Amino acid sequence: MIRIEKLTRKYGNLTAVENVSFEIPSGKIVGFLGPNGAGKTTTLKMLTGFLAPTEGNIVISGLDMENNLSTIKNMIGYLPEDNPLYEDMTVFDYLLWSGKLKGLKGQKLIDAVKNSAEVCGLSEVITKLIGHLSKGYRQRTAIANAILHNPVILFLDEPTSGLDPNQAHQMRKLIKSLGKEKTIMLSTHILTEAKEVCDEIIIINKGKIVAKGDTEMLLSGGEKEQKIILITEKNLNPEEVKQKLSDFGKCAFSKTENEYKFTIETQKKEDVRKNIFNFIIEHKIPVLEFKKETISLEELFRKLTL
């Protein structure tokens, strides 16, 4: 569990992050989205202990970061956006050296290097110089370094930045695999990536949180807002159907040459699709399509950050 309470970071007169609060449950992959300069990297640096907040509190696994920084750092792994790697070292030597810095020794160190390399798909390049690796394998090496000490929480800042589509796809698979055992906070500006990988989303803009919640819930308009689309054949009385559908919410209809489209909007908390479906069966409505409408993550992002 990660709990952030009224987190603020100022650089002189500039407020980069202002009064940010959120929680991340254990075992979730959470996307942290926002335009350039929104405060994503500053927030991650505070969460990983690399930057002290001006105000606010960070609690990780029940421990207050201000008083338990060294303990918390042993519990987390961090992949910064501009990850420094030593190009004149082999993957194995780099991970071995990094593991020693993390306090690993002897067989435990060797096992940690082998395990992280295997998990990150580095076995075939383990003896190659990092400087000779593709961008994708460098990113895998960086993540292997982040999980060497088997942290329970991972913070990943733009992990697919600069990767080609195939490399990015493989990286997303790796992140989803890691998410089966770890809590992950993933900062990204690639919206399709967030939708594909993340269980929940937090959107930050100008240093403030503007949206947070379950990914599908946010894209469907929120817990208390639903828009249901019902498309039917034209062999029915549309005004009569519209009137009856109005029992479920505000209903409007439009028509084309071959079909009617009914749009039901409601603020009810419960999912009304079951009741509408029962209505369809009871009245033998000739349905062509029935769905809950969602917006794209890009539309939501633009709506909240422009």
Side-chain angles (χ1 to χ4, degrees), residues 248-291:
F248 306 107
K250 180 182 177 180
C251 183
F253 86 91
S254 59
K255 60 183 177 180
T256 66
E257 183 178 348
N258 299 313
E259 61 190 36
Y260 289 127
K261 177 181 179 181
F262 298 88
T263 303
I264 305 101
E265 297 183 64
T266 177
Q267 298 292 318
K268 294 180 181 179
K269 188 172 183 178
E270 68 274 9
D271 194 332
V272 300
R273 285 177 296 179
K274 182 177 180 181
N275 294 332
I276 295 175
F277 180 76
N278 289 336
F279 165 81
I280 291 169
I281 298 300
E282 179 182 354
H283 293 85
K284 299 180 180 179
I285 304 295
V287 173
L288 297 175
E289 188 173 349
F290 177 48
K291 65 180 181 180

Side-chain angles (χ1 to χ4, degrees), residues 288-300:
L288 297 175
E289 188 173 349
F290 177 48
K291 65 180 181 180
K292 185 175 183 179
E293 188 172 84
T294 62
I295 63 174
S296 70
L297 187 52
E298 180 177 357
E299 290 175 301
L300 177 65

